[in-house]
Amino acid sequence: MQIRFQRASKTDKNVSAVGQVCNAKICTDFREADVFRVTQSFSSKTACNHRTYQYILPTFAFAARESLTRERCWQYRISAETLTHVNNMLNHFKGTHNFFNFTSRRTANDLSCRRYIMSIECGAPFLLDGDREFAVITVVGQSFMLHQIRKMIGLVIAIVSGHTTEAIFEKAFQGERLDLPKAPGLGLFLDKVDFTRYNTRFCNDGSHHPIDWNAYKEKMDVFKEEHIFRHIVQKEVEENSYPFL
């Protein structure tokens, strides 16, 4: 029997994935949520409506640099006002924009740089590994380019922490090439891929199983917390992925 491999989405180097779709027998380093039959012409890449990525980061990344030291960084707690400011800055990315400044090896007139962001939000902070405060930014879009999400988050970190101002957005989506900061790759992971269109077209008659992540949410949340979050926190504490502190 011939086994073919497909992927529904790709990530930067060292980036994790939770809700991914493949059509091959995979090794034991992965966790299989389910295996079922799809249509003969099914392509996990082209059938995908949109993709959800998440980025977990220590909240001290948003702190003003002059108010923080390496020794005291884990004592930082993000305020409600700062969290609101973060989300106000993230709102600039919603909709369709020219993201050529948020990737590499592309030009401003490259139409493939126009990408649609459906939603992006930083959630409430929470504690991991005792008293270390983290937050998760969730971004939903049709597709993303190399480094795009990391540069989006890196720019917001730079604004909120006082390295630049909100006015930078006026230039970031224009034709002038800017050297935008890139957030560390450690915290980024693919959360899930959406197949609403495929489900509607092929799965209403009962002949095919719908691809619906809600059925596996509990299992995915456990995997995310025990494997991805734990790994990210450990690496963050050991390696200090925010070297500008």
Side-chain angles (χ1 to χ4, degrees), residues 6-185:
Q6 293 179 355
R7 45 85 178 162
S9 188
K10 61 183 179 180
T11 63
D12 292 357
K13 183 180 179 181
N14 296 327
V15 173
S16 303
V18 180
Q20 178 67 290
V21 171
C22 303
N23 68 338
K25 183 177 180 180
I26 52 182
C27 66
T28 55
D29 290 339
F30 292 79
R31 299 294 184 273
E32 295 179 7
D34 208 342
V35 178
F36 47 80
R37 177 176 172 266
V38 293
T39 60
Q40 185 174 0
S41 61
F42 177 78
S43 167
S44 57
K45 179 181 178 181
T46 59
C48 177
N49 290 57
H50 57 262
R51 296 151 176 88
T52 300
Y53 280 84
Q54 292 189 321
Y55 189 93
I56 180 173
L57 74 169
T59 57
F60 66 71
F62 296 114
R65 291 295 156 259
E66 64 274 9
S67 67
L68 205 63
T69 64
R70 175 63 64 188
E71 293 73 24
R72 298 178 59 248
C73 64
W74 290 112
Q75 300 174 23
Y76 177 82
R77 296 294 182 263
I78 192 170
S79 67
E81 292 77 14
T82 300
L83 183 59
T84 298
H85 185 33
V86 170
N87 279 313
N88 286 340
M89 296 305 99
L90 291 173
N91 282 338
H92 283 279
F93 295 118
K94 292 181 180 178
T96 302
H97 300 283
N98 184 350
F99 283 96
F100 100 99
N101 265 318
F102 296 83
T103 188
S104 59
R105 299 188 295 275
R106 303 282 182 102
T107 60
N109 58 1
D110 187 339
L111 294 180
S112 69
C113 293
R114 295 191 63 81
R115 302 293 169 118
Y116 175 54
I117 303 299
M118 302 169 66
S119 65
I120 182 168
E121 182 179 15
C122 183
F126 55 92
L127 298 179
L128 290 174
D129 191 31
D131 61 350
R132 306 182 193 276
E133 188 177 75
F134 286 80
V136 173
I137 296 174
T138 302
V139 53
V140 182
Q142 290 180 332
S143 60
F144 299 92
M145 297 180 291
L146 179 69
H147 302 324
Q148 180 184 340
I149 297 175
R150 292 170 60 190
K151 281 181 172 283
M152 290 164 61
I153 294 173
L155 181 58
V156 170
I157 290 174
I159 294 171
V160 176
S161 61
H163 288 284
T164 188
T165 67
E166 185 177 0
I168 192 68
F169 282 108
E170 296 181 10
K171 295 182 178 180
F173 295 131
Q174 301 302 318
E176 179 185 354
R177 171 61 75 181
L178 301 179
D179 185 15
L180 299 181
K182 182 170 60 179

